[in-house]
Amino acid sequence: MIHVYGVPGYGSTISELMLTLTGVRYNFINVDGFDKAGPSHDLLEKVNPLCQVPTLVLDDGQVMTETAAIALMLLDSHPQFAPAPGSPQRHRFLRLLVWMVANVYPTFTYADYPERWAAGAPAQLRESTARYRETLYRWLEEQVEGTPWMFGNDISLLDCYLPVMRRWSPREAWFAQHTPKLNAIADAVCGLPELQTVLRANQIL
């Protein structure tokens, strides 16, 4: 069984949603407090010296990290959760999957711990990254092709990002006002019966 090291409501929630959607069984290990010295940090460091979540330990003992890589791994055995290979939509899926982690994620890396990167001006760094993040979400809104999912009629693993990231800054009210299509996709994911347990465990519902 796959072991998922994470924290409720953190980025590990995205990997939990992907695993649950694809029907892959896993065991969740809560490492709340991993980002400071203590037992959780020590536990996570044993499997991932970078101390990042999510960290997955696979059945064969290999370690897998990065939500985009986890999505691609799952698609090897569950290809129905992405547009068909070779299609224009598949190309857009791959672009947006990597775009999400390459562009949006770093704004949290710097804003969540601004004192690490700009000790003399942490408030300014937090504010500037927050504003930039909003421009990124507005751009992503323009990429939505249809309803109820990012690529129309069929759900993809990319949709699993939205209910989680909507809970982070700039929060649900901002998404409802400024990115209604992204907000609707997040609502659709939250409405899936098979995801209710994991959504509640991660305080998304």
Side-chain angles (χ1 to χ4, degrees):
M1 180 181 294
I2 293 175
H3 298 284
V4 178
Y5 292 76
V7 179
Y10 278 49
S12 53
T13 307
I14 297 168
S15 64
E16 284 195 82
L17 290 174
M18 291 178 180
L19 289 163
T20 304
L21 187 65
T22 55
V24 176
R25 296 180 61 209
Y26 66 92
N27 173 50
F28 181 75
I29 301 169
N30 190 341
V31 288
D32 191 13
F34 72 93
D35 52 352
K36 54 184 179 292
S40 292
H41 176 90
D42 296 342
L43 178 63
L44 181 58
E45 189 178 36
K46 289 179 180 178
V47 293
N48 181 3
L50 294 177
C51 284
Q52 298 170 333
V53 297
T55 292
L56 276 59
V57 178
L58 306 181
D59 294 336
D60 61 2
Q62 290 193 74
V63 171
M64 175 64 74
T65 65
E66 318 308 326
T67 54
I70 293 165
L72 294 174
M73 176 189 72
L74 291 171
L75 289 175
D76 286 343
S77 52
H78 301 85
Q80 68 272 30
F81 290 103
S87 68
Q89 286 190 326
R90 178 62 164 233
H91 299 153
R92 296 187 68 248
F93 170 85
L94 293 172
R95 177 193 179 189
L96 293 178
L97 180 67
V98 175
W99 175 91
M100 187 78 80
V101 297
N103 288 272
V104 180
Y105 269 32
T107 68
F108 292 105
T109 299
Y110 299 120
D112 287 352
Y113 305 97
E115 65 282 352
R116 295 181 183 176
W117 319 105
Q124 290 90 328
L125 179 59
R126 181 181 288 112
E127 176 66 20
S128 63
T129 54
R131 298 289 76 78
Y132 179 57
R133 186 183 309 125
E134 291 176 1
T135 68
L136 294 174
Y137 283 138
R138 287 190 174 99
W139 179 85
L140 184 60
E141 172 83 357
E142 297 173 359
Q143 310 311 307
V144 178
E145 291 187 353
T147 57
W149 311 112
M150 180 73 71
F151 296 100
N153 292 328
D154 298 317
I155 191 171
S156 75
L157 294 183
L158 187 62
D159 297 305
C160 293
Y161 283 82
L162 296 176
V164 182
M165 300 181 86
R166 182 175 64 169
R167 290 295 304 272
W168 304 340
S169 176
R171 305 288 183 180
E172 292 96 331
W174 186 92
F175 279 89
Q177 179 178 355
H178 297 284
T179 56
K181 289 186 286 187
L182 298 180
N183 194 60
I185 294 170
D187 283 343
V189 175
C190 288
L192 292 174
E194 62 267 36
L195 298 182
Q196 296 301 295
T197 299
V198 67
L199 287 166
R200 294 186 187 282
N202 284 279
Q203 293 121 34
I204 304 299
L205 295 179

